[in-house]
Amino acid sequence: MSYGMLLFIALLYIGITVYLGWLGYQHTKSSKDYMIAGGEVHPYLMAMGYGSTFISTSAIVGFGGAAAVYGMSLLWLTAFNIICGVFIAFVILGTRTRSMGAILNVQTFPEMLGVRFRSKFIRTFSAIVLTVSMPLYAAAVMIGGARFMEQALQVNYTAALLIVAFIVGAYVMAGGMKGVLYTSAFQGTLMLLAMFLLMVLTYVKLGGITAAHQALTSLADKVPASLVEQGHMGWTAMPETGSILWLYVITTLVMGVGVGVLAQPQLAVRYLTVKSNKDLYRALAPGGVFILMMTGVGFTVGALSNVFFNDKFGKISLLMAIDPATNAPNIDKIIPLFITEAMPSWLGYLFLLTLLAAAMSTLSGQIHAIATSVSYDLFKSSRGDKGQLKLARYGTLFGFLVTLLISFILPGNIIAIATAIFFGLCAASFLPMYVSGLFWKRATVPGVTWGMVVGTVVYVFDMLFMHTKEATIFKVSQLILGKDTIAGFPWNVIDPLVIALPASIIVTLVVSLVTKPMEQSHIDKCFGFQSLRNQETTNTLNR
């Protein structure tokens, strides 16, 4: 490895990132600039900012590693990500969010929900859920970037974590949303280029598309017996319907993340950064292509890594990624190892920057969301706009430190699991309330309040006491009850979202229908009818 060349490329990348962060700082003059970039962002910047915040090292490293274990079945997640995460998100939720956000003059996701329902509790509870859960997801992203740096550069894992965290924390603290979007557009473009090259070179390495997939299919007899017992039927086939792996792949990885993206606060706020709904439509194409390349290529290459490792070392990917510290497989190491072993060194350099870009772009959006929730929704400054801007930067420091601390605590094999937890919790807590606020005029404050609380409580309880994947990590059930989980099959495998989201929806609907509707004048204002009626009255008087 040419460390001189790698150092030059890394310094060039960091230099560009720092410059764009500084540019964001120069253009950040108010709290509105810091929160939503002034609300006049170009569609391409918005699409790249949205996509690179959505897709991170958790998708490329964590879920790519998961695809190396579970196979092409994860491509269903790519389909869900494009349908839900781009088309439904932009065309249905995004346009209404942008319009309502402009009418209500709001700058954060919790603020929009709180103002829409005239409830300080809703705003505060939403901000608390976001502030408590987001660092877990951010830590997973930080771990993904650090793991690849550790593998590619052979540097200490702790040092890698500190490097990633420091760079991101610095430019988010300085440039706010503008710094986030400027750097994310650059990083997203770099990610697109690298993933395209990775796809092409992987197929070239394995003898072409047809040969690669046929070789992967023929490896079905290499599946470990423990996975076969759980329903694994090969890397090009879906797990056996109803099996442990089928329930995990479908309910946790596909549904949990594919549906959970619709209620991501750090993504929803992106809709407020553009000046018209037409700009959201213009962002559809680059946003869709970006998600397709990031997840589709990542999951495909992850599965195909089994062919390369089997041909070269006689082992499947899972058995190549043994962690010396635990002497157990760590799927978070599979993609970094594949890049190091299978790809030319120059792509390894480029991919190192790509994963750093993926980590930094997502982390910047996450830490920005934590900062605005803490500084704006929970502890709003009474010292005017300049005081609010200063407080927001303190909030960024808080998010940065908490995320870094969690990164040191979390165990291995955590990236995909932590991502699914955050996505699922957001869907259970926010999605019924978010959709009701945007489209259902009959939704009431008690209805959405109880729906949000019930969704959150049910999800957290299921995660800590029933679902085996998380219960065995957090060990709350073991500590209190003396056993890993209180549920048997299939409830210990079905993702908490499958139970918590319907519970949240039902409670929101039922309680709203039996409680007093909100004032019509407020509903008219939220849905843009009040200004229309005022204009009609003015026209009548003029006539």
Side-chain angles (χ1 to χ4, degrees), residues 34-205:
Y34 197 92
M35 302 292 182
I36 57 172
E40 296 185 350
V41 168
H42 189 277
Y44 181 79
L45 285 178
M46 183 270 173
M48 289 295 101
Y50 178 96
S52 57
T53 300
F54 176 15
I55 302 299
S56 65
T57 49
S58 64
I60 300 171
V61 175
F63 282 80
V69 178
Y70 306 117
M72 297 287 186
S73 58
L74 262 71
L75 289 176
W76 280 107
L77 177 54
T78 297
F80 266 64
N81 283 339
I82 294 173
I83 295 170
C84 295
V86 178
F87 184 78
I88 293 176
F90 284 22
V91 175
I92 298 176
L93 298 183
T95 52
R96 173 61 75 180
T97 301
R98 197 210 63 79
S99 298
M100 188 173 288
I103 291 169
L104 300 180
N105 191 29
V106 295
Q107 300 181 45
T108 69
F109 184 79
E111 183 187 23
M112 188 182 77
L113 296 175
V115 174
R116 162 65 179 88
F117 291 107
R118 284 183 168 178
S119 171
K120 184 178 180 180
F121 175 82
I122 287 175
R123 180 177 180 178
T124 302
F125 188 87
S126 301
I128 290 173
V129 171
L130 177 59
T131 303
V132 171
S133 62
M134 180 73 83
L136 177 67
Y137 177 30
V141 174
M142 191 178 289
I143 289 169
R147 281 297 182 197
F148 189 82
M149 184 179 289
E150 174 194 33
Q151 179 68 45
L153 301 182
Q154 298 298 304
V155 299
N156 179 270
Y157 174 65
T158 300
L161 268 180
L162 292 173
I163 291 170
V164 173
F166 176 78
I167 295 173
V168 175
Y171 73 72
V172 177
M173 185 177 294
M177 181 60 82
K178 287 193 175 183
V180 169
L181 288 175
Y182 294 166
T183 54
S184 292
F186 162 64
Q187 291 159 344
T189 303
L190 180 64
M191 290 161 65
L192 274 174
L193 173 63
M195 293 303 281
F196 174 77
L197 292 173
L198 176 63
M199 175 182 66
V200 172
L201 291 176
T202 297
Y203 280 124
V204 170
K205 189 80 176 179

Side-chain angles (χ1 to χ4, degrees), residues 442-526:
R442 184 63 179 79
T444 67
V445 175
V448 297
T449 299
W450 280 108
M452 176 178 62
V453 171
V454 167
T456 303
V457 170
V458 171
Y459 188 93
V460 172
F461 178 84
D462 192 307
M463 177 183 71
L464 296 178
F465 292 94
M466 296 175 64
H467 197 236
T468 302
K469 283 282 185 181
E470 293 84 15
T472 53
I473 292 173
F474 296 107
K475 301 186 184 302
V476 175
S477 179
Q478 180 64 238
L479 180 65
I480 297 175
L481 302 175
K483 50 186 177 181
D484 288 338
T485 174
I486 63 173
F489 184 80
W491 302 108
N492 63 335
V493 182
I494 294 175
D495 192 77
L497 177 66
V498 177
I499 300 171
L501 181 57
S504 180
I505 293 171
I506 292 170
V507 170
T508 300
L509 290 173
V510 172
V511 177
S512 289
L513 291 174
V514 299
T515 52
K516 184 180 178 180
M518 299 188 70
E519 294 178 8
Q520 188 61 46
S521 60
H522 180 67
I523 298 298
D524 285 349
K525 176 184 177 182
C526 292

Side-chain angles (χ1 to χ4, degrees), residues 310-334:
N310 184 70
D311 289 347
K312 186 172 182 179
F313 300 102
K315 298 179 181 179
I316 61 171
S317 302
L318 186 65
L319 300 182
M320 288 294 300
I322 302 298
D323 192 330
T326 62
N327 200 32
N330 185 346
I331 66 173
D332 296 342
K333 289 190 170 188
I334 292 175

Side-chain angles (χ1 to χ4, degrees), residues 389-403:
L389 183 57
K390 185 177 181 180
L391 185 60
R393 288 181 170 135
Y394 285 138
T396 301
L397 180 61
F398 168 81
F400 158 76
L401 292 175
V402 171
T403 298

Side-chain angles (χ1 to χ4, degrees), residues 247-409:
L247 288 170
Y248 176 65
V249 168
I250 296 300
T251 67
T252 298
L253 300 183
V254 176
M255 289 182 59
V257 177
V259 176
V261 67
L262 293 174
Q264 296 282 291
Q266 79 280 14
L267 298 181
V269 75
R270 295 296 188 274
Y271 310 139
L272 305 179
T273 63
V274 294
K275 59 184 176 181
S276 72
N277 287 342
K278 288 183 179 179
D279 286 340
L280 283 173
Y281 298 137
R282 295 188 185 108
L284 271 174
V289 170
F290 184 88
I291 300 300
L292 175 63
M293 290 298 296
M294 293 302 107
T295 61
V297 172
F299 302 162
T300 300
V301 169
L304 290 173
S305 68
N306 287 282
V307 176
F308 171 78
F309 287 128
N310 184 70
D311 289 347
K312 186 172 182 179
F313 300 102
K315 298 179 181 179
I316 61 171
S317 302
L318 186 65
L319 300 182
M320 288 294 300
I322 302 298
D323 192 330
T326 62
N327 200 32
N330 185 346
I331 66 173
D332 296 342
K333 289 190 170 188
I334 292 175
I335 293 298
L337 184 62
F338 175 75
I339 299 297
T340 303
E341 294 289 341
M343 294 293 110
S345 59
W346 63 265
L347 184 64
Y349 302 155
L350 178 60
F351 213 82
L352 171 62
L353 299 185
T354 299
L355 289 185
L356 288 177
M360 290 177 181
S361 58
T362 301
L363 267 174
S364 62
Q366 293 165 330
I367 293 177
H368 180 269
I370 297 169
T372 55
S373 290
V374 171
S375 64
Y376 189 69
D377 295 307
L378 295 178
F379 303 104
K380 190 170 183 178
S381 175
S382 60
R383 298 183 179 181
D385 195 67
K386 294 299 182 181
Q388 188 60 55
L389 183 57
K390 185 177 181 180
L391 185 60
R393 288 181 170 135
Y394 285 138
T396 301
L397 180 61
F398 168 81
F400 158 76
L401 292 175
V402 171
T403 298
L404 186 59
L405 176 63
I406 294 176
S407 299
F408 285 116
I409 296 173

